[in-house]
Amino acid sequence: MLNMKRILMIACMLMFQGLVVCKTVPVTIPEIEAMRLAHYLTIGSECTTSLSSYLEKLNYAEIGWDARVALSVYGAFSSNEYIKAQKVRNRQMQIHQKIFDKADVIVVPTTGVTAYPIKDDALKTGELDYINGAALVRYSIAGNFLGLPAVTIPVGFDKAGLPIGLQFIGKPWSEPTLIHIAFAMQALRIADSRKPKVFYDLLNSE
């Protein structure tokens, strides 16, 4: 597992004739665990609220155990807890804004783990792997919870040959900068790219 607290930030990003000149600065984003919990509470509460009219008529026997557990947990959150989660969101937005005052992008792995096997009984009972599930979204919280733009590109493979991604998170309205960085980084890694056994080229006009 990668350490969430130590994050590399690309600072002083300069674009000149297609070249990227940058300086990397190690930073620590505080209260990461609090943000993760506030994010989970927020999406759970909003999910329950948006589905409230349907949940009254829902036959729980028709859904998997994973969905049943999730809905039960989400429905247990209180309005007071939701308000506290939004206070954490506002605090984290201020923390990230201070980071972006001196840097252009935050660089993190796309996920905390590579793809993990789905258990044999998942089709029958559903898939509820909280440990791996939490690791998968560990580095996407800033984008999801704070609404920050982000882009991810493939950069390598683990020992099992599963793909590893690198994510660039930017300040609000920085999509052009993120696309430039991703394009330059992907060009450096293009020789190492591998197509999966089943591959559909959606961008091929033919």
Side-chain angles (χ1 to χ4, degrees):
M1 296 270 180
L2 297 166
N3 191 338
M4 179 61 172
K5 294 183 179 180
R6 298 301 298 172
I7 297 177
L8 279 181
M9 182 175 19
I10 293 183
C12 304
M13 185 64 63
L14 302 175
M15 299 290 180
F16 181 70
Q17 294 182 349
L19 297 178
V20 178
V21 181
C22 65
K23 175 182 178 182
T24 58
V25 181
V27 298
T28 299
I29 298 179
E31 303 170 17
I32 289 294
E33 180 62 10
M35 181 169 67
R36 185 186 72 82
L37 295 174
H39 172 249
Y40 182 72
L41 194 150
T42 298
I43 61 176
S45 299
E46 294 179 353
C47 174
T48 302
T49 301
S50 64
L51 295 174
S52 59
S53 59
Y54 301 98
L55 294 178
E56 297 175 357
K57 306 174 184 178
L58 180 64
N59 181 1
Y60 278 76
E62 296 179 350
I63 61 177
W65 287 103
D66 51 352
R68 298 187 204 186
V69 171
L71 289 173
S72 296
V73 173
Y74 294 168
F77 297 146
S78 68
S79 57
N80 185 47
E81 290 169 331
Y82 180 81
I83 295 299
K84 289 182 178 179
Q86 304 324 298
K87 291 181 179 180
V88 173
R89 173 188 272 177
N90 182 64
R91 177 174 172 79
Q92 279 294 332
M93 290 184 69
Q94 294 181 41
I95 290 173
H96 280 71
Q97 183 56 54
K98 290 181 180 180
I99 293 174
F100 288 127
D101 285 343
K102 57 182 179 181
D104 292 296
V105 294
I106 298 173
V107 184
V108 296
T110 302
T111 61
V113 293
T114 50
Y116 56 90
I118 298 177
K119 297 179 180 179
D120 294 336
D121 62 348
L123 184 60
K124 180 179 180 180
T125 63
E127 178 74 6
L128 188 60
D129 188 337
Y130 178 77
I131 295 177
N132 280 315
L136 278 177
V137 302
R138 177 177 298 158
Y139 299 103
S140 61
I141 293 176
N144 291 342
F145 192 43
L146 307 180
L148 298 174
V151 63
T152 180
I153 61 168
V155 292
F157 303 86
D158 67 6
K159 294 180 179 179
L162 295 171
I164 298 173
L166 188 66
Q167 181 181 195
F168 301 96
I169 304 171
K171 65 185 72 175
W173 310 109
S174 65
E175 286 85 350
T177 298
L178 293 175
I179 295 298
H180 277 294
I181 296 173
F183 180 82
M185 188 66 183
Q186 189 164 342
L188 294 174
R189 302 294 307 178
I190 195 68
D192 300 325
S193 63
R194 308 178 198 169
K195 291 183 180 180
K197 293 181 179 179
V198 179
F199 175 77
Y200 299 95
D201 188 357
L202 300 179
L203 299 180
N204 191 337
S205 59
E206 299 179 1

